[in-house]
Amino acid sequence: MAERPDLDEIDRRILAELQADGRMRINELADRVGISHPNCLRRVRALRGSGVIKAFRATIDERALGYEVVSFVTIQLESQNQATLAAFEAAIMPLPWVQQCWRLSGDADFLLKCVSTGVEGMSRQLRQFAALPGVRTIRSLPSLGQSKDGALPISAADGSPD
């Protein structure tokens, strides 16, 4: 497990501001958190370099690009040995319609977030999953809509979660 970086209150305020608006200019960010522009730029670069900030990207509405169906798919493999898990992960990496892949503990081994242009597209995706080696069980949960897409809670400077 990676070591948790030591973040001070200013770093946490920077993170909170960037979660609210990742396109904010560095001078506006510096003004909001009350530090100089060069210091703010240095801190943002350090947060990126340490991996605390993983990426800056646009969140696009799936429907705007014709993806009418968002589904969550659970996959249970025949074995949980490292080779089988790694083979499955490698097989789904090139699939652009798999938006997220989470390794789980419990009844399923993976949870995938997938997009498709319709029900027939979702059906084709499920058949593709079934054809992958090592797949035992597939369950599909088509989404009826998203109720929340929240930002990460930024904890207090002492590291407590609340």
Side-chain angles (χ1 to χ4, degrees):
M1 185 171 175
E3 188 173 315
R4 191 171 144 184
D6 187 25
L7 303 176
D8 65 15
E9 184 59 32
I10 293 173
D11 289 331
R12 292 172 191 286
R13 288 176 31 211
I14 287 171
L15 294 172
E17 292 291 340
L18 288 175
Q19 276 194 128
D21 181 3
R23 291 189 51 172
M24 186 181 308
R25 292 177 186 256
I26 206 73
N27 58 345
E28 182 181 349
L29 178 61
D31 291 344
R32 285 189 182 204
V33 299
I35 60 175
S36 70
H37 301 177
N39 186 21
C40 187
L41 180 59
R42 181 190 58 75
R43 283 175 175 265
V44 170
R45 285 180 176 159
L47 290 166
R48 287 190 72 188
S50 68
V52 172
I53 297 174
K54 296 193 310 189
F56 290 99
R57 61 182 176 191
T59 302
I60 301 169
D61 182 345
E62 295 92 350
R63 287 191 171 96
L65 295 180
Y67 297 109
E68 295 296 324
V69 177
V70 175
S71 62
F72 296 90
V73 178
T74 62
I75 305 284
Q76 182 183 42
L77 301 177
E78 293 172 351
S79 168
Q80 288 73 39
N81 69 47
Q82 199 57 32
T84 303
L85 295 169
F88 178 80
E89 288 175 334
I92 59 128
M93 286 301 164
L95 304 176
W97 38 267
V98 175
Q99 297 296 289
Q100 296 179 350
C101 175
W102 294 83
R103 195 182 287 186
L104 303 176
S105 173
D107 292 337
D109 297 305
F110 291 94
L111 174 67
L112 310 177
K113 178 186 175 192
C114 303
V115 295
S116 63
T117 56
V119 174
E120 183 54 38
M122 185 180 73
S123 179
R124 278 192 305 274
Q125 292 171 2
L126 296 175
R127 288 192 300 272
Q128 279 188 273
F129 292 141
L132 295 176
V135 172
R136 174 184 290 164
T137 306
I138 302 168
R139 289 198 172 86
S140 178
L141 305 160
S143 171
L144 298 177
Q146 184 178 41
S147 298
K148 182 178 179 178
D149 183 18
L152 251 152
I154 305 294
S155 64
D158 65 1
S160 63
D162 295 315

